[in-house]
Amino acid sequence: MPITNSTNGNYTLRQLKLPLDIEKIIDISDLVYTFCEVMDHIDLSRYFVEKDYKTGRPRCDEQKLLKVILFAFMEHGISSLREIEKLCRTDIRYMYLLDDMKAPSFATFGNLIRNELTASIEQIFIDINTYIFQKDHVDLEHTYIDGTKIEANANRYTWVWKKSCLRNRDKVFEKISLLIDSMNDEVLGFLGVKLEKREEYAIEYIEEMLAAYTTATNLDISKFVSGIGHRKSLHQKQYQEMQGYLERLKNYAAHIEICGESRNSYSKTDHGATFMRIKRDYMGNDQLLPAYNMQAAICDEYIAVIDAKPYASDMECFVPLMEKFKATYGHYPKYPVADAGYGSYNNYLYCEEHGMEKFMKFTMFEKETKNQKYQNNPYRIDNFRCDSEGNLICPNDKKFIFKYHTHVKGNKYGRTEEVYECENCEGCPYRSECTKKQEGNRTARLNKELTSFHHEVITNLESIHGALLCMNRSIQSEGTFGIIKWDRAYKRLFRRGEKSVILEFTLISCGFNLYKYHNKKQRLQKAV
């Protein structure tokens, strides 16, 4: 068959024509130039250790890969690895960042994030912030704090409840006690051996009992029978029943250990996630969902510090966030401003110890400052007058006598409350309005230190400075999460585990700060 050199099938009217300088195609105000300005002032080489491989294909340049990843997060907020791979093949700006390097696969980006960035991304975030904050003269004394709950990448019906484990463990303890009675009465009593019962059983003690039972009865575990047509001996039944209880205790102990002291639940598919209520209830039945509490400290519209905690309450997240701020910038912020979710005795005392002003609302702040009926209620113990000896006097001119101090359960700072009791409530004309108790004298709890903290917070927030800080907090901190969650459609985590979640949120924060810096820079240039 004759061979022809016809090339008509490969001919096209559209010929590829590229300029020698790709930079001329990219607009002068594009994001990539601002991105390169920041990254050129950061030494990325110290985050990647060169590995001397003598075989295999040459490695990709990790610094270029990191720049591509950060630029994708800067432009899109959150990008899948396959989307980044596609952009490297089709978007000229990503080709410009790769600088003649072949477009990597999505697996290459994934390996870099997983193996290299998990330990170093927070320091890279600090380096980016150091340059941006210096250029933009960011004020680190005023910090606006807020948190949001984001659903974890975990199955929705994989919960493990700590209280349920504790209840079931107590039931197993009762069953073990009954089984020990049976062992002693039916078998061991005739052999002169007796097992000791306890209120609670450690795993090691159960293992010792099984070993003692095996020795006393000369039980051969290898000869155990099972299945249809086989009848188990009494010794085998008791041994296997105790062994089943042992396995259950081990499972409960593992669940309780994963939950720890501060959590009541966790997800089987992501042990760092806690089941909590989130605003985005797409199931419509108030279902608890596995989530993380994402915390951010905002300074002049930039994210200064981020953190992820498995606590449903914001109160527990304040101290770790401020400690991270101190470790990053070398000092505590002078004015930490937060909503009522952070106002607690522990947090106020923490601010007092570290020289921070108290600009965090407390739970009853709105009621104590705006509700005139509540403020002027004569039956509030805070409104009781004092006599010359300092005793509290109720509206019926009866003394409230100090009884004792009581510790507040679960308070880490040893908070106590003073308990007072009225000397005589019998025949009081104000009883129905003063107390709900039908019999006996009214009692009241009071913490003078916490009350003074509340008065200080009200004074701070009702000042002109405080009003401006509250207004700025609602704009900056809540606006930051609004941009991340709604403008950039980030509503569910992609990675599992607390370290991976912090890695993911740090990448998003890097992109957010770079994008914010670009926008501010463009506005400034237009104004000039």
Side-chain angles (χ1 to χ4, degrees):
M1 182 177 179
I3 299 176
T4 61
N5 293 325
S6 176
T7 58
N8 292 334
N10 298 326
Y11 177 76
T12 177
L13 294 175
R14 294 178 292 276
Q15 295 295 322
L16 181 62
K17 296 179 181 179
L18 288 176
L20 296 178
D21 192 356
I22 297 179
E23 294 183 12
K24 294 180 180 179
I25 302 177
I26 306 174
D27 189 83
I28 192 64
S29 62
D30 196 87
L31 294 168
V32 71
Y33 293 119
T34 304
F35 176 79
C36 290
E37 174 203 339
V38 177
M39 301 309 295
D40 289 344
H41 288 83
I42 299 174
D43 182 17
L44 299 177
S45 60
R46 59 196 181 106
Y47 299 113
F48 303 103
V49 179
E50 289 191 17
K51 301 178 177 65
D52 187 15
Y53 290 101
K54 297 182 180 180
T55 60
R57 286 184 286 177
R59 293 173 57 84
C60 294
D61 190 337
E62 288 94 344
Q63 297 185 39
K64 294 180 181 178
L65 294 179
L66 175 61
K67 289 180 180 179
V68 168
I69 293 170
L70 291 178
F71 184 67
F73 277 83
M74 174 185 180
E75 184 178 22
H76 302 289
I78 183 71
S79 294
S80 67
L81 300 180
R82 294 182 185 272
E83 183 66 24
I84 296 176
E85 177 188 354
K86 180 181 177 182
L87 291 170
C88 289
R89 300 180 187 278
T90 58
D91 195 317
I92 197 169
R93 297 171 301 167
Y94 290 82
M95 298 178 188
Y96 172 66
L97 292 175
L98 289 173
D99 192 17
D100 292 335
M101 189 178 81
K102 184 180 178 182
S105 67
F106 71 93
T108 304
F109 290 115
N111 291 333
L112 179 76
I113 293 174
R114 183 171 52 255
N115 301 328
E116 303 289 345
L117 296 185
T118 302
S120 60
I121 186 60
E122 292 192 73
Q123 187 59 45
I124 295 172
F125 177 58
I126 294 172
D127 290 345
I128 292 173
N129 283 355
T130 300
Y131 176 80
I132 293 176
F133 290 1
Q134 184 179 2
K135 293 288 290 185
D136 208 13
H137 306 289
V138 174
D139 176 20
L140 292 174
E141 293 296 329
H142 295 80
T143 302
Y144 308 102
I145 301 167
D146 199 8
T148 185
K149 298 178 180 66
I150 298 183
E151 185 183 357
N153 184 10
N155 295 2
R156 291 159 192 152
Y157 301 103
T158 57
W159 48 63
V160 175
W161 303 106
K162 181 180 176 181
K163 292 182 179 179
S164 178
C165 292
L166 293 173
R167 286 196 301 269
N168 291 331
R169 188 185 62 175
D170 293 339
K171 293 179 182 178
V172 172
F173 289 158
E174 296 175 2
K175 292 180 180 179
I176 290 175
S177 297
L178 294 176
L179 180 58
I180 289 175
D181 289 337
S182 177
M183 286 178 169
N184 291 333
D185 295 340
E186 298 176 3
V187 177
L188 298 178
F190 299 102
L191 302 175
V193 180
K194 185 177 181 180
L195 299 177
E196 180 186 355
K197 291 197 304 181
R198 298 180 178 180
E199 293 184 1
E200 295 183 355
Y201 297 93
I203 294 175
E204 294 78 10
Y205 182 67
I206 301 296
E207 292 174 344
E208 291 176 1
M209 284 198 302
L210 283 174
Y213 184 82
T214 304
T215 303
T217 58
N218 293 323
L219 191 62
D220 188 358
I221 300 175
S222 62
K223 294 183 179 180
F224 280 0
V225 297
S226 62
I228 300 175
H230 298 88
R231 178 166 297 189
K232 296 181 180 179
S233 64
L234 177 61
H235 297 169
Q236 179 182 347
K237 289 180 181 179
Q238 291 179 344
Y239 182 90
Q240 289 184 334
E241 186 177 357
M242 183 66 75
Q243 196 173 37
Y245 293 148
L246 175 61
E247 293 301 320
R248 289 179 63 181
L249 288 180
K250 288 182 178 179
N251 290 334
Y252 294 143
H255 293 327
I256 294 169
E257 183 180 2
I258 292 173
C259 283
E261 295 292 333
S262 56
R263 290 200 297 166
N264 290 324
S265 66
Y266 77 93
S267 172
K268 293 179 182 177
T269 50
D270 185 356
H271 291 179
T274 304
F275 281 83
M276 56 185 79
R277 286 180 173 83
I278 61 178
K279 293 179 181 178
R280 183 171 170 261
D281 184 16
Y282 45 80
M283 300 184 73
N285 56 359
D286 201 26
Q287 179 70 59
L288 296 175
L289 296 173
Y292 285 88
N293 196 343
M294 315 300 292
Q295 298 289 316
I298 314 298
C299 297
D300 285 350
E301 302 183 48
Y302 294 106
I303 300 176
V305 177
I306 60 99
D307 202 3
K309 292 298 179 184
Y311 310 136
S313 172
D314 288 335
M315 291 182 185
E316 302 294 329
C317 302
F318 177 76
V319 173
L321 188 68
M322 290 296 97
E323 289 297 327
K324 199 169 184 179
F325 190 100
K326 170 66 165 55
T328 303
Y329 300 104
H331 63 88
Y332 294 99
K334 182 68 174 177
Y335 304 98
V337 188
D339 59 14
Y342 296 86
S344 67
Y345 176 81
N346 290 0
N347 292 342
Y348 291 143
L349 193 59
Y350 178 82
C351 292
E352 187 83 11
E353 292 174 352
H354 296 91
M356 292 184 283
E357 298 292 334
K358 303 173 191 67
F359 283 87
M360 299 174 292
K361 294 180 180 180
F362 49 91
T363 306
M364 300 291 288
F365 177 81
E366 295 294 329
K367 202 167 187 179
E368 289 197 12
T369 55
K370 297 181 180 179
N371 191 325
Q372 294 294 328
K373 182 178 179 181
Y374 179 81
Q375 288 179 355
N376 301 325
N377 184 3
Y379 307 110
R380 283 179 60 201
I381 191 169
D382 293 339
N383 292 335
F384 285 2
R385 60 185 177 87
C386 295
D387 60 9
S388 58
E389 299 178 356
N391 296 317
L392 295 172
I393 306 298
C394 74
N396 196 33
D397 294 331
K398 299 293 184 181
K399 288 184 182 180
F400 265 67
I401 304 171
F402 170 77
K403 288 297 183 180
Y404 56 87
H405 285 94
T406 180
H407 288 276
V408 177
K409 184 179 178 181
N411 192 273
K412 300 177 183 178
Y413 281 73
R415 173 185 163 192
T416 60
E417 290 181 334
E418 301 170 355
V419 179
Y420 294 86
E421 183 179 358
C422 182
E423 59 180 350
N424 186 13
C425 287
E426 186 176 355
C428 177
Y430 309 113
R431 184 185 186 98
S432 60
E433 299 178 7
C434 183
T435 180
K436 295 181 180 179
K437 294 175 68 174
Q438 300 297 325
E439 297 180 356
N441 299 326
R442 177 188 172 183
T443 59
R445 295 170 179 261
L446 182 65
N447 186 300
K448 295 182 179 179
E449 189 176 12
L450 180 59
T451 303
S452 66
F453 284 155
H454 286 177
H455 291 322
E456 183 180 354
V457 170
I458 292 174
T459 303
N460 290 341
L461 293 177
E462 288 187 340
S463 65
I464 297 176
H465 185 207
L468 291 174
L469 290 181
C470 286
M471 181 182 65
N472 270 325
R473 193 208 71 84
S474 63
I475 295 171
Q476 295 193 29
S477 59
E478 295 181 11
T480 297
F481 283 119
I483 292 172
I484 292 175
K485 293 177 67 175
W486 298 104
D487 294 356
R488 298 196 164 191
Y490 180 66
K491 299 178 182 178
R492 194 181 186 211
L493 294 165
F494 289 84
R495 291 170 176 80
R496 294 182 177 181
E498 189 170 338
K499 290 184 178 179
S500 298
V501 168
I502 292 177
L503 164 67
E504 181 176 318
F505 199 57
T506 306
L507 285 171
I508 292 172
S509 300
C510 289
F512 178 87
N513 284 355
L514 288 166
Y515 192 80
K516 179 67 69 174
Y517 175 66
H518 170 76
N519 285 344
K520 285 190 172 184
K521 185 178 176 182
Q522 292 298 314
R523 287 199 299 267
L524 183 62
Q525 289 177 354
K526 290 180 180 179
V528 173

